[in-house]
Each structure stands twice: as C-alpha cells, then as structure tokens.
Amino acid sequence: MTETEALEKVLAGENEHYAVLFRLYSKRAFGLAFQYLRSKEDSMDLVQDAFVKAFQNLHRFDRARSFGPWLLRIVRNLAVDILRARREDSSDDVERAASNCGSQEDEVLKGELWRAFLKLDRGEREIVFLRDYLGHDYAEMAHILNIPVGTVMSRLHRARKELAAQLLGGSA
Amino acid sequence: MNCDELDIFLSGYIDNELTQQDSQRVQVHLEDCARCRRTIHELEEVRRRAGGLPIPEPTRKEMAEMESYVMERLFRRFGWLIVTAWVTGSAAYGIYEYASSPGEPLLQKVAVFSLILGIAMLFLSVLLERVREAKTDRYKRIQK
C-alpha cells in the first residue's frame, strides 16, 4: 500500500492503516528526534507523541504535500519544546556528551563526527541532518523548519564550512 | 563574480539546488579557480561524512512496541471522546434540571454550584499539570 492510499483510508476513518505511515516514517522520525535529544529512550517517546499528534491534526494536513516532511516538522517542534522546557539547549552540549558514559548512544556521541557535529549550533545541526543524512531537498527543509529557502541554503553552507574546518582542517 | 560573492552558492551547487543560470555562473568560475574547486571538494567530503552520522536504531521489538503504543492511543482517543461527551452531556443536563427546578432555594443552588465549580477547577488544574509533566518527563518509559 502506498503512502497516498494509506492516507486516504485513514482520512476515511480506517485508522488501522495509520500503521503503514508509521512503518514508512518512524525510522526517519527517530533519527531526527535523536539528533535533537541524543537519547534513544527520549527519542522513541517523542516519535510516538509525534505520530499521535500528527493523527490528531490530520485534518490540517495539506494533501498536496508529502506526509514525511509534515511529520518531521511536528517531530522538530516537539523536540524544540522539550529542549526549551529542560533548558538543555545550550553551549554545554560537547561537555554533556563527553561526560556521559555507558549506554549505546553515549558511545556513539563520543565519535569524532558527533563531536564536530555538536559544536554546531542547533539550527546548523538540524539543517545538515535534514539534508545530508535524511536527503531532503531545500524546499522540504524550508517547510520542516518554517524558514525561507534562501535561509536554508545560507545556513547549510555555513554549517558545512564549519564542519569542514573541524573535520578536514579545511579552508571551506 | 569573485570568490567571496560566489561562496554562498557552492553548497547549493553541489546539491543541484541552484537555478540553471546560477549553476552555469558557478561552473564557469570553477573552471578557472583552484581555490573554489578545493572548497567544493571539501563540502562534498563533509556532505558524505554527515550522511554517515552514526545513529543508534531501536530494535525490531522496540519498533513494534512503539507502533502498538501509537495505534492504541488512536483508538483510546475515540474512547475518551465518547466518555467525555457522555459525562459533559449528563452533567449539563443535571445542572440545567437542578437550576431550573422551582422548589430549591436560591442560596442552596449558589452553594451547590460553587462547590461544583471549585471541584471542576481543581480537577482541571491537576489535569493540566499531569499533561504538562507527561510531555516533558524523560523517565516516563521506565516501568515502576
């Protein structure tokens, strides 16, 4: 069953087909959530909440668009709300990641790439992740982040140059 | 167009997100500029590495549990809607019947409605607090 068919059926009241959408997008949603929260458990919770919230707001969904970017926008907004509530979205990310130990995600976060990634600010991290990890085009990213396409391009470029300086010692 | 003016277009260029005109301008500049070609190479390398950012994945069992939880919540929501509608309707009918009954003294009605209002406000404040906690509680998956 395709995404469009599943959506049509869910909108017609056949809720059981929402599982199709969950299977299509849950991994991507989890990846994005982890990028913000950097905790497997928290990210799993957030993905569940995002899917429930998406379902509750399905009547507002623009059918001309794909469900994925719309869902990721919800994931992003929920994650930002959580970060704000916890007041964890600050410049001590690197220290936090380095000081944690033991769990699978803590080991992952200690890698060279993550350490460089965490030195970017939140806006730069999310834009690199959406483009280079999830493969969204600039128009979809603009929709997910609710910013103009021009800002997507300039912010992404700035973030990549910063990563190049850290990872490659480059002049980019 | 010099290197500084062109710089902002380089990520858009490697992502094929420029207009045809801008893309051609970048291409022409790159043919004569080793510095910008090096920048392009570095940006492509960063893009490649960022695409391989390690992300821990939930296990199959965890994914199945997440899916079950979401689907249960969808059906539970309809149950709550029905129960809420029934309780609200019944309460509204009861209040209307009591308020419009001519036999009860006014002071008694005011006292009863004040009590109901107080209980409703307490219930609502606790409910809102629980909802807020549920949204931000990082330990809610841990079973007690």
Side-chain angles (χ1 to χ4, degrees), chain A residues 43-59:
Chain A
S43 303
M44 286 162 63
D45 283 343
L46 189 144
V47 169
Q48 291 172 337
D49 291 343
F51 270 96
V52 172
K53 190 166 185 181
F55 177 81
Q56 290 168 348
N57 290 282
L58 216 49
H59 57 283

Side-chain angles (χ1 to χ4, degrees), chain A residues 83-103:
Chain A
L83 291 174
R84 271 197 201 121
R86 293 178 187 165
R87 296 181 182 174
E88 286 186 357
D89 187 29
S90 60
S91 56
D92 65 351
D93 287 338
V94 178
E95 287 78 4
R96 280 185 64 246
S99 64
N100 292 332
C101 61
S103 65

Side-chain angles (χ1 to χ4, degrees), chain A residues 30-72:
Chain A
F30 175 84
L32 184 62
F34 185 85
Q35 183 275 132
Y36 289 108
L37 303 179
R38 301 188 293 284
S39 153
K40 190 176 167 184
E41 294 289 313
D42 292 348
S43 303
M44 286 162 63
D45 283 343
L46 189 144
V47 169
Q48 291 172 337
D49 291 343
F51 270 96
V52 172
K53 190 166 185 181
F55 177 81
Q56 290 168 348
N57 290 282
L58 216 49
H59 57 283
R60 293 185 192 165
F61 171 62
D62 177 2
R63 292 196 210 182
R65 293 179 181 275
S66 171
F67 180 76
W70 185 68
L71 174 80
L72 294 187

Side-chain angles (χ1 to χ4, degrees), chain B residues 72-86:
Chain B
E72 283 166 15
R73 286 270 300 270
L74 304 192
F75 290 104
R76 192 190 306 167
R77 183 170 172 257
F78 284 109
W80 276 114
L81 280 175
I82 292 166
V83 169
T84 305
W86 187 88

Side-chain angles (χ1 to χ4, degrees), chain B residues 120-133:
Chain B
M121 285 171 72
L122 282 174
F123 178 75
L124 195 64
S125 69
V126 171
L127 186 69
L128 289 174
E129 190 182 326
R130 289 289 169 88
V131 168
R132 195 165 50 243
E133 277 176 3

Side-chain angles (χ1 to χ4, degrees), chain B residues 64-127:
Chain B
E65 285 171 358
M66 287 164 68
E67 184 181 323
S68 299
Y69 176 83
V70 169
M71 298 311 286
E72 283 166 15
R73 286 270 300 270
L74 304 192
F75 290 104
R76 192 190 306 167
R77 183 170 172 257
F78 284 109
W80 276 114
L81 280 175
I82 292 166
V83 169
T84 305
W86 187 88
V87 169
T88 307
S90 302
Y93 179 74
I95 289 169
Y96 171 76
E97 283 289 307
Y98 182 69
S100 58
S101 63
E104 308 294 341
L106 181 64
L107 194 61
Q108 185 181 324
K109 286 182 181 176
V110 171
V112 169
F113 283 129
S114 301
L115 180 65
I116 291 173
L117 188 65
I119 291 171
M121 285 171 72
L122 282 174
F123 178 75
L124 195 64
S125 69
V126 171
L127 186 69

Side-chain angles (χ1 to χ4, degrees), chain A residues 94 97-98 109-120 166:
Chain A
V94 178
L109 293 169
K110 283 179 183 170
E112 181 200 18
L113 191 52
W114 262 105
R115 290 182 68 83
F117 199 61
L118 288 173
K119 285 180 183 165
L120 303 177
Q166 290 179 45

